Amino acid sequence: MMAAVAAAETGHEVVLLEKNEKLGKKIYITGKGRCNLTNACDRDAFFRNIVSNPKFLYSAYYHMDQEAVMNLMEEEGCPVKTERGDRVFPVSDHASDVIRALHNRMDRMGVSVSLHTAVKEICVRDGAVTGVLTGQKKFLNADAVVLAAGGRSYPTTGSDGDGYRLARSLGHTITEIRPALVPLCIRENWCRELQGLALKNIGIRITGERDGREIFRDFGEMLFTHFGISGPVVLSASSYLACADRQDTYTVHLDLKPALSMEQLDKRLLHDFAGNQNRQFKNTLNGLFPVRMIPVMIHLSGISPEKKINEISREERRIFAERVKDVRMTITGTRGFDEAIVTQGGVSTGEINPSTMESKLVRNLFFAGEIMDVDALTGGFNLQIAWSTGHLAGEKIPWL
């Protein structure tokens, strides 16, 4: 949609081909239906949140940054607001308003939309695009084609990986495709006992077993599930895990009290224990953790739940504090594309001109969005990539 808008604004006759029954199906489900359409952070913060090939996006970002996207939305009747973490949403909290804004701009620019129209082939002659062949075996003549078919995440919205087939058929390299921003599967059974429990303000690290190398560290919210863990900070971790060495085994380290040093935590435990000398260990932890977390932490500590506080040694207290600061879980994998917010991997950026989004292999073939090997963390960054690359691609289509 953004590519169509930009191409039409430069005077081209534009036809948008959509195989679904309506436009923007994936937008409807972003931000839990509210559509976190971009992030209002500064430039440096924006690029820190790009996981794959950030330098490739420099031209696209400067061409259309977050302010330009927000201005477009406002101009088309979709006022926006900025929330925690600089996340930008429609004031209405309705994703449909974002789609309506793009519809409005396309209508004013004269873009023609063809729904229920799948593309089976991009036609090329003498190294340049000539048009497309639809699923109805209809040939549509075109001087240029923008391929913005998405990745493989949430395939029910239409992004089933078909775009990769089209790109590959024209000689493009498709890097390894992996689900990203996706929940993690955990080996330990106690994790499943905590299903539904959400933890706020926890620290998380992920390390490899082979050399102990840390591949991710952050702070935020997480959720225990029937298969492992999820939540904002876990989804971010998964994007770095997706591009890590597949031959290694990885461990999640949770810090349940990241605001406290080991020394401060020990003082906290001494204080809590001081007034409960004759109580059992299991009955003295309500101030430290959610109730459902207490049996798990007792189990991990190795201390008998019935043991009296006045019988707990300094060494046992130290071990317990270490567990609080480092709850370990073994990662066995991630969930699949059906649950992944984005796809990591795609059309190799080395085969795309970053200043125009044009293919280096086929003249007048352009790419935009998630189909390319670019992805980012949660917070509106992936949609900003879509807006920026789409607008750049549309605007750079040459006059022939």
Side-chain angles (χ1 to χ4, degrees):
M1 287 187 281
M2 189 64 84
V5 163
E9 286 176 341
T10 57
H12 292 288
E13 180 183 350
V14 181
V15 179
L16 193 159
L17 305 179
E18 170 61 67
K19 68 179 177 182
N20 287 321
E21 74 285 359
K22 61 183 177 182
L23 295 178
K25 286 187 75 171
K26 188 170 285 188
I27 290 178
Y28 277 109
I29 63 173
T30 60
K32 297 180 180 177
R34 298 173 61 214
C35 189
N36 178 194
L37 60 100
T38 188
N39 192 288
C41 65
D42 62 30
R43 178 198 60 193
D44 292 343
F46 177 82
F47 283 103
R48 282 198 300 272
N49 280 275
I50 308 299
V51 177
S52 304
N53 300 307
K55 292 181 180 179
F56 173 79
L57 294 168
Y58 284 173
S59 292
Y61 176 81
Y62 289 117
H63 171 78
M64 186 177 216
D65 62 11
Q66 305 100 308
E67 185 177 358
V69 171
M70 289 187 279
N71 287 341
L72 185 151
M73 292 295 160
E74 298 268 358
E75 289 167 8
E76 296 301 337
C78 178
V80 299
K81 60 183 177 180
T82 302
E83 298 185 358
R84 182 171 57 89
D86 287 326
R87 288 168 164 81
V88 178
F89 294 88
V91 168
S92 66
D93 286 331
H94 293 146
S96 57
D97 286 347
V98 174
I99 300 168
R100 187 175 298 109
L102 293 169
H103 261 298
N104 290 345
R105 182 63 66 95
M106 288 194 300
D107 288 345
R108 288 200 295 107
M109 292 296 106
V111 174
S112 174
V113 177
S114 182
L115 301 175
H116 301 287
T117 306
V119 173
K120 292 303 178 186
E121 181 182 349
I122 297 175
C123 303
V124 174
R125 185 172 62 243
D126 298 329
V129 164
T130 59
V132 299
L133 188 66
T134 71
Q136 292 80 22
K137 302 240 172 111
K138 181 181 179 181
F139 175 74
L140 299 177
N141 180 66
D143 294 325
V145 169
V146 180
L147 184 51
R152 278 194 59 196
S153 57
Y154 293 124
T156 55
T157 63
S159 56
D160 57 5
D162 206 34
Y164 302 135
R165 175 188 61 80
L166 292 169
R168 190 180 287 113
S169 72
L170 299 177
H172 275 281
T173 302
I174 309 300
T175 64
E176 184 183 358
I177 302 302
R178 302 171 292 265
L181 296 181
V182 63
L184 300 179
C185 301
I186 298 297
R187 177 180 299 159
E188 284 74 14
N189 287 328
W190 60 258
C191 185
R192 278 166 277 285
E193 296 172 10
L194 297 176
Q195 178 181 346
L197 176 65
L199 298 179
K200 295 183 177 182
N201 304 321
I202 53 95
I204 182 172
R205 295 186 301 121
I206 294 183
T207 60
E209 184 180 274
R210 186 173 298 163
D211 57 7
R213 185 172 63 90
E214 183 177 286
I215 65 167
F216 180 83
R217 178 191 289 262
D218 206 353
F219 171 88
E221 302 175 11
M222 63 158 285
L223 173 72
F224 290 100
T225 69
H226 66 284
F227 54 78
I229 54 177
S230 187
V233 73
V234 173
L235 297 183
S236 294
S238 73
S239 287
Y240 290 93
L241 185 67
C243 51
D245 182 0
R246 297 297 184 84
Q247 304 305 312
D248 205 351
T249 300
Y250 294 91
T251 301
V252 176
H253 304 258
L254 289 186
D255 184 347
L256 299 179
K257 297 294 177 183
L260 301 179
S261 66
M262 276 292 292
E263 182 181 359
Q264 290 171 325
L265 178 58
D266 188 54
K267 288 181 179 178
R268 165 74 185 273
L269 292 176
L270 280 172
H271 177 270
D272 289 355
F273 288 176
N276 295 283
Q277 289 293 309
N278 293 313
R279 299 187 71 184
Q280 294 178 324
F281 182 48
K282 65 182 180 182
N283 295 324
T284 60
L285 303 177
N286 284 20
L288 273 178
F289 317 113
V291 172
R292 291 181 60 196
M293 195 82 192
I294 292 174
V296 169
M297 293 308 300
I298 291 174
H299 166 73
L300 295 177
S301 75
I303 301 172
S304 169
E306 282 76 33
K307 195 167 190 176
K308 295 285 183 67
I309 290 298
N310 60 17
E311 296 173 347
I312 293 177
S313 67
R314 177 185 297 178
E315 178 65 11
E316 286 176 319
R317 193 178 72 242
R318 182 190 64 79
I319 292 173
F320 179 61
E322 287 179 350
R323 295 295 175 269
V324 173
K325 298 287 290 181
D326 188 10
V327 179
R328 299 186 181 188
M329 295 175 283
T330 309
I331 300 171
T332 58
T334 70
R335 301 293 277 183
F337 285 106
D338 288 350
E339 298 177 44
I341 294 175
V342 297
T343 304
Q344 193 171 90
V347 179
S348 172
T349 55
E351 298 170 355
I352 303 170
N353 183 339
S355 298
T356 62
M357 296 295 124
E358 184 179 13
S359 165
K360 294 179 179 179
L361 308 183
V362 180
R363 292 194 308 279
N364 301 324
L365 171 66
F366 295 79
F367 295 97
E370 195 177 342
I371 192 172
M372 300 183 291
D373 184 11
V374 289
D375 65 281
L377 301 182
T378 57
F381 301 102
N382 287 289
L383 270 180
Q384 180 61 45
I385 291 172
W387 310 136
S388 296
T389 57
H391 200 277
L392 179 61
E395 188 173 279
K396 293 300 181 180
I397 293 172
W399 283 92
L400 301 177

